[in-house]
Amino acid sequence: MHRDIKPQNIMLRSGNLQAVLIDFGIARDFTPNLTKTHTQILSDGFAPIEQYDKRAKRGAYSDVYASSATLYAILTGEAPTMSPVRAIGTQLVEPKEINSSISERVNQAIIKGMEIKAGDRPQSIQEWLSLLNLQNTNVNLPTVTIVNSQEIEKAIHAFYAHVDYNSSNAGLLIHHREHRKDPTLHYHITISDTHCFNFGGNGFAVFPIPRKAKRAVHVKLLDRKDVLDRCLIAYQLFQDWDYGILGWNCEHFARLVTSGEAISYQVKESPLAFFNNNGYNPRAKEMMDKAYRNAKF
């Protein structure tokens, strides 16, 4: 079992465009029908329901779910609704409704592979592949942006071009709403009098401080220099993390960098917070603290 199949863990070879599955850090051997205690490491949107329960049985059908969800994302350009949310009644939008060029056969293979109940899915990758029958299939793929080293260097260059360690307005936690009726607060880290830094659905960016941005109150901030130093450390640690439904988001990132706590109070206050550790992300905090202790400035 791979246990973390998702688009971010598939690379294309430069020579022949062969797809290669990577990151076997949490892969495990398994014994069919045997219940074990499993580490709970997963990716929202791509993990089956059984991976949210440490004692639930896993099998090849678990990777079938993740493979189907990965194909869903590749063909639609959208991450599928995560399995715990589907388990309480939210319907999965069929991929064909998003991309009409998907054949009915492929559409049904994805849906079957993403059944909530493990027993309703194909029980092996081979069984699932037989449902696809991709020969002579012509599908219009959505545009996919590949993050390459040049884009990474561009983001780092933009940060250094605008950061001001002497500015009293740098190193602050701020937030704003996109419009008056927007229910979501979008969090950022100021890096100068005029610019801020953070990430969201469109990736990392340095951009002018939003005109209506407000400073977060009742937050104990780290020293300004520490905050600014932590920006790029966190960027390099989390540039590939998912911006998942109720999962790791801009508030987690901004609070982790400015205060040292990986928490999103917006997630914590959600009715579905129990699916997301009540808004906390202890793994991110552990990674960040270790990286910052080992950093050389």
Side-chain angles (χ1 to χ4, degrees):
M1 284 178 56
H2 185 280
R3 301 201 301 169
D4 196 23
I5 298 173
K6 57 184 178 181
Q8 293 88 340
N9 280 341
I10 297 175
M11 298 183 71
L12 296 179
R13 293 191 188 279
S14 59
N16 56 16
L17 296 185
Q18 178 187 22
V20 180
L21 183 63
I22 64 170
D23 195 356
F24 286 78
I26 61 171
R28 294 289 183 273
D29 291 331
F30 75 96
T31 303
N33 301 318
L34 181 65
T35 300
K36 295 182 178 180
T37 300
H38 303 269
T39 52
Q40 195 174 18
I41 301 174
L42 48 82
S43 296
D44 289 327
F46 301 95
I49 191 70
E50 60 266 22
Q51 281 190 239
Y52 288 83
D53 183 350
K54 292 183 179 180
R55 295 287 298 171
K57 294 178 182 178
R58 278 114 160 121
Y61 46 78
S62 303
D63 280 350
V64 166
Y65 185 101
S67 299
S68 302
T70 295
L71 186 57
Y72 182 107
I74 291 171
L75 295 178
T76 66
E78 298 183 10
T81 304
M82 66 184 193
S83 55
V85 177
R86 295 178 58 209
I88 59 175
T90 300
Q91 295 296 313
L92 176 71
V93 177
E94 294 189 7
K96 191 173 178 64
E97 292 185 25
I98 303 172
N99 184 350
S100 60
S101 69
I102 297 173
S103 72
E104 185 58 32
R105 183 175 188 121
V106 171
N107 187 67
Q108 290 302 317
I110 293 174
I111 294 171
K112 190 66 178 175
M114 293 184 67
E115 290 281 1
I116 289 296
K117 294 183 179 178
D120 292 339
R121 299 175 215 143
Q123 297 299 289
S124 70
I125 291 292
Q126 290 77 9
E127 185 181 340
W128 178 64
L129 289 174
S130 69
L131 298 179
L132 286 169
N133 189 23
L134 292 176
Q135 296 178 355
N136 300 320
T137 300
N138 184 17
V139 177
N140 294 322
L141 297 179
T143 300
V144 178
T145 301
I146 304 298
V147 177
N148 56 41
S149 59
Q150 289 183 339
E151 292 178 358
I152 293 172
E153 291 297 328
K154 183 179 179 181
I156 294 175
H157 178 77
F159 179 87
Y160 282 120
H162 293 285
V163 69
D164 182 359
Y165 279 80
N166 295 318
S167 168
S168 60
N169 293 317
L172 304 178
L173 177 64
I174 61 173
H175 56 68
H176 83 289
R177 300 181 191 274
E178 294 288 353
H179 52 79
R180 185 169 53 87
K181 295 183 178 180
D182 185 0
T184 304
L185 287 175
H186 304 277
Y187 283 79
H188 317 296
I189 306 151
T190 61
I191 61 173
S192 69
D193 290 340
T194 58
H195 283 75
C196 57
F197 175 75
N198 206 354
F199 96 116
N202 295 321
F204 285 86
V206 173
F207 47 92
I209 295 174
R211 184 170 56 87
K212 295 184 179 180
K214 298 179 180 179
R215 181 174 176 175
V217 296
H218 308 305
V219 181
K220 185 177 180 180
L221 299 175
L222 300 173
D223 179 80
R224 181 195 313 155
K225 181 181 184 303
D226 290 338
V227 171
L228 297 178
D229 286 342
R230 288 163 65 91
C231 279
L232 290 187
I233 295 175
Y235 165 61
Q236 294 180 67
L237 281 177
F238 305 118
Q239 59 183 285
D240 294 326
W241 277 44
D242 292 330
Y243 190 85
I245 300 171
L246 293 183
W248 175 258
N249 60 31
C250 62
E251 185 180 0
H252 279 116
F253 181 86
R255 288 187 183 275
L256 176 60
V257 171
T258 58
S259 71
E261 294 299 321
I263 181 173
S264 169
Y265 287 96
Q266 294 181 104
V267 172
K268 185 177 182 179
E269 294 168 2
S270 165
L272 300 177
F274 60 95
F275 286 132
N276 294 272
N277 205 37
N278 290 318
Y280 291 92
N281 201 310
R283 181 170 172 240
K285 176 174 172 53
E286 180 183 355
M287 290 172 60
M288 182 67 205
D289 289 347
K290 180 178 180 181
Y292 187 67
R293 285 196 304 269
N294 296 333
K296 296 180 180 179
F297 303 103

